[in-house]
Each structure stands twice: as structure tokens, then as C-alpha cells.
């Protein structure tokens, strides 16, 4: 599927290979609470080390405004060293004379992780001078950070125009799975979309309605459609300015767009709230929809039966509260048992699948929430477009 060159297509022996990774991991008091993104980069790093490259890794972490000692990448370097079983050097910055000296001193098979790219405001501005400084550290550029490929930043897009630029193995895998799902899926092809806001996913719904056999809608975003159907939604989250848009999507989608028929409602937004099951047109005032109900789960399972490709982005309820996680967990289990090619589109959906205990039975879990969404919208990702074609 991928029409971009990868690390297999270039000679990296003895070369300084500048690799954009996505080590934007959750930190809890300086301790990494989930190392999934670091693990995802291992195959590319190991391949480069084994091929005799001098590996220069760069990543952002969090959203610092200038230098922030709580967002330094040292914990990521330590975890990577543990996973690889070899030394990973760290740099005091990502550009500058000291960094250049450290990078030029690397020997074949050595690895250095540069400091947080976003300590420099020029990174997100895709500043040409900053991109040039980064590019000077390498002879070849590898982008293995799918999670940031939808951003035209200096390290994802700017550098790619200044060095021979190819995809890493994670990037290749993401593009292959998501690319096949949107261009040539095995049918029936079902998309499941959840999460809080319909405004985030209008373009995704429009694109997938043209490609999928069914689009199942849940989560907070379903409330706006329920209002568009003319039903009361109590104190539920609704985007009032998107009700007309939802109505237009329902008219365009017809039977292809599948909405909840019942819900689990709560008297307040709280894990210990009083809950009850109601039909979708019977939500009383003062109550709010926090999950899909059992009839909706049965309906969704029915639509998923026999599917060959399933893409899921966004939970179907407030899955952080066990009482309102049933819909999300039930659909995660249905995907795991389906026999279809199953693709989870990053972010909260991945957390939900892990919470349901079925992560090992999902075909592909994307590392990029925003990037996978934009890809499913049919958008060109700047970090991908800048790579060399095959």
C-alpha cells in the first residue's frame, strides 16, 4: 500500500541518521506511566543500529512554553536503553554547538536522544533556520512519528526537504493499515465513531459514509444526532450549533448511519451517579446520557456480524467510570472476536481496548489519534507527503 520509500530503500551504514520518533509519553512525577510509543519505535531503531548507522533521535514531549525541566526527555532515554539493552546518550539541547560536537563523535551503532524539540518555539512554527540546524545533524532523515505526521513542524516537514527522507517501520505499518482501510478495504467495511464532539469528526463521517457499509455512532457526539432526530437529551453534552449539520449527515447517510436506540443515563456526571436504562426518546430533564444501552449494543453487534474490516475511533461512553463503560467494553470484545481486520484509531480508543483486556487480539492499534483521524478524513499528512516516493 505504501508508496513512500522506507529505511530498507537507503544505505545507512556509517551514516548519521536523524530519526523523528514520537516519545510524547504520559509522565507521572517524572515516571513514564505508558511506554507504548517508545516500544513502537524499537523495530526501526534496532534495524538502524544493526545496519551500522549512527542514530540521532529527536522528539517532542508535552506542550512546554520554553524550557521546562519537568518535560525533559531523560526518562525516555532511560526507558529506551532498558528496552534495547544498550546505552542511549542524551544531549543538553536539540541544536547548538554542544549538540553538534556530541553527534559528530558518534560511532557506528551509537544512539543519542536530543532534548525536547518544543523547548524551541521555532519547532512548531516550522522555522526554516531551525529546520536547517536540525538537518545539519544528519545525512539521512527517517520519520517514524506517525502521531505527529499531521503537523507541518520543523522536525516533521521542514527537515524532510533538506535531507533524503524516508519512512520508518512504524510509519510504514500505520500507512499500510489505515491506507488499505480507506482505499481498498475488504468488505463488509464498518466504521465506529465515538468520543465527545461531533465537530471533531464531521469530515471523518462524510468521508467514511462514502467508503464504509455502515458507520456506527456512539459517545457524546451521538447526542447531537439524537437532538437532530427531535428527541430531548436532558443535560447531555450537545453541540447546539451542529444539530443542523447532524440532520444533513443523517439525510445523506440514510440507513448507512446507525445511531443509538437506547442509553444508560445518569443523574449527574459522577462515577457513583444513579443510573438507569431508557429508550433514546425518553431521556428526562436533569439527566444525561453517559453510555449506549443494551439494545444499542445488540444493534451494533448485528451490524458488525460478518464484517471483514472494522475501524474504530472514540469510546461509546464515559468509559473512565466503570458503570458507564459497558458499551465501549462490549464493542471492544466484539471486535476482538470478529475475525475481521480491526484497526483502532489512537488516543482514548486504544486505552479503552486495553481496559477491556483485548488489545492482543486487535490487528492494529494506531499510535496517532489526531493523525489517524485526519488520515480517515482523506487529508494529506504533511509529514508523509514530504517523504520520498518509491
Amino acid at each position: 500500500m505504501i508508496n513512500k520509500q522506507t529505511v530498507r530503500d537507503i544505505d545507512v551504514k556509517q551514516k548519521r541518521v536523524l530519526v523523528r520518533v514520537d516519545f510524547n509519553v504520559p509522565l507521572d512525577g517524572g515516571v513514564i506511566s505508558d511506554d507504548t510509543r517508545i516500544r513502537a519505535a524499537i523495530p526501526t531503531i534496532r534495524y538502524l543500529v544493526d545496519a551500522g548507522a549512527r542514530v540521532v533521535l529527536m522528539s517532542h514531549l508535552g506542550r512546554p512554553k520554553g524550557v521546562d525541566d519537568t518535560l525533559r526527555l531523560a526518562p525516555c532515554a532511560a526507558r529506551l536503553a532498558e528496552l534495547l539493552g544498550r546505552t542511549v546518550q542524551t544531549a543538553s539541547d536539540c541544536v547548538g554547538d554542544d549538540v553538534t560536537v556530541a553527534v559528530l563523535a558518534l560511532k557506528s551503532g551509537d544512539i543519542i536522544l536530543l532534548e525536547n524539540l518544543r523547548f524551541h518555539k521555532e519547532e512548531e512554527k516550522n522555522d526554516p533556520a531551525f529546520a536547517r540546524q536540525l538537518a545539519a545533524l544528519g545525512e539521512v532523515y527517517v520519520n517514524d512519528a506517525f502521531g505527529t505526521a499531521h503537523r507541518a513542524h520543523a522536525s516533521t516537514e521542514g527537515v524532510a526537504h533538506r535531507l533524503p527522507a524516508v519512512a520508518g517501520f512504524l510509519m510504514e505499518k500505520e500507512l499500510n493499515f489505515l491506507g488499505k482501510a480507506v482505499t481498498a478495504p475488504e468488505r463488509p467495511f464498518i466504521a465506529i465513531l465515538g468520543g465527545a464532539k461531533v465537530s471533531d469528526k464531521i469530515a471523518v463521517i462524510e468521508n467514511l459514509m462514502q467508503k464504509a457499509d455502515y458507520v456506527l455512532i456512539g459517545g457524546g457526539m451521538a447526542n447531537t444526532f439524537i437532538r437532530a432526530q427531535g428527541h430531548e437529551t436532558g443535560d447531555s453534552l450537545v453541540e447546539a450549533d451542529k444539530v443542523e449539520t447532524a440532520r444533513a449527515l443523517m439525510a445523506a447517510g440514510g440507513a448507512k448511519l446507525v445511531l443509538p436506540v437506547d442509553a444508560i443515563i445518569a443523574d449527574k456526571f459522577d462515577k457513583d451517579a444513579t443510573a438507569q436504562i431508557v429508550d433514546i426518546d425518553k431521556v428526562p430533564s436533569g439527566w444525561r446520557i453517559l453510555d449506549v444501552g443494551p439494545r444499542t449494543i445488540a444493534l451494533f453487534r448485528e451490524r458488525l456480524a460478518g464484517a471483514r474490516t472494522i475501524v474504530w475511533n472514540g469510546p461509546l461512553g464515559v468509559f473512565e467510570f466503570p458503570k458507564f463503560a459497558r458499551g465501549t467494553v462490549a464493542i471492544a470484545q466484539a471486535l476482538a472476536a470478529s475475525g475481521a481486520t480491526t484497526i483502532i484509531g489512537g488516543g482514548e480508543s486504544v486505552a479503552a481496548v486495553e481496559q477491556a483486556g483485548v488489545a492482543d487480539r486487535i490487528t492494529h492499534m494506531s499510535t496517532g489519534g489526531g493523525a489517524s483521524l485526519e488520515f480517515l478524513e482523506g487529508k494529506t499528512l504533511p509529514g508523509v507527503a514530504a517523504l520520498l516516493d518509491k
Side-chain angles (χ1 to χ4, degrees), residues 118-192:
R118 288 193 186 169
F119 285 175
H120 297 263
K121 63 181 185 299
E122 295 85 354
E123 155 67 359
E124 291 182 85
K125 289 180 176 171
N126 199 1
D127 179 79
F130 185 67
R132 206 161 31 245
Q133 282 182 284
L134 291 173
L137 299 172
E139 295 164 273
V140 173
Y141 170 72
V142 175
N143 192 340
D144 210 26
F146 178 75
T148 62
H150 59 313
R151 309 263 185 241
H153 291 170
S155 67
T156 58
E157 207 262 352
V159 169
H161 295 296
R162 290 171 170 81
L163 292 171
V166 300
F169 295 133
L170 174 63
M171 179 72 84
E172 177 187 38
K173 187 178 172 192
E174 294 273 16
L175 294 176
N176 279 342
F177 275 108
L178 289 164
K180 188 164 190 286
V182 293
T183 56
E186 245 194 285
R187 294 190 178 277
F189 169 35
I190 315 293
I192 309 166

Side-chain angles (χ1 to χ4, degrees), residues 265-276:
I265 58 171
D267 59 349
K268 59 186 175 195
F269 189 83
D270 189 276
K271 66 177 172 54
D272 299 318
T274 301
Q276 59 172 311

Side-chain angles (χ1 to χ4, degrees), residues 25 36 69 78 83 105 121 185 187 194 205 229 292 296 324 352 366 373:
V25 294
T36 304
D69 287 337
L83 291 166
K121 63 181 185 299
R187 294 190 178 277
I205 297 169
Q229 288 175 315
V292 293
T296 302
F324 305 105
S366 179
L373 261 187

Side-chain angles (χ1 to χ4, degrees), residues 17-28:
V17 181
L18 188 61
V19 188
R20 179 54 158 101
V21 289
D22 183 6
F23 287 176
N24 186 28
V25 294
L27 289 176
D28 187 0

Side-chain angles (χ1 to χ4, degrees), residues 57-97:
L57 304 175
M58 55 179 177
S59 178
H60 76 284
L61 177 58
R63 296 173 183 235
K65 300 278 179 266
V67 176
D68 180 342
D69 287 337
T70 66
L71 292 173
R72 291 194 177 276
L73 283 164
C76 298
R79 184 66 187 124
L80 178 63
E82 280 176 29
L83 291 166
L84 288 170
R86 63 188 303 135
T87 302
V88 175
Q89 300 174 41
T90 54
S92 55
D93 201 344
C94 56
V95 290
D97 292 345

Side-chain angles (χ1 to χ4, degrees), residues 188-201:
F189 169 35
I190 315 293
I192 309 166
L193 296 172
K197 292 181 173 179
V198 73
S199 54
D200 296 342
K201 295 187 178 158

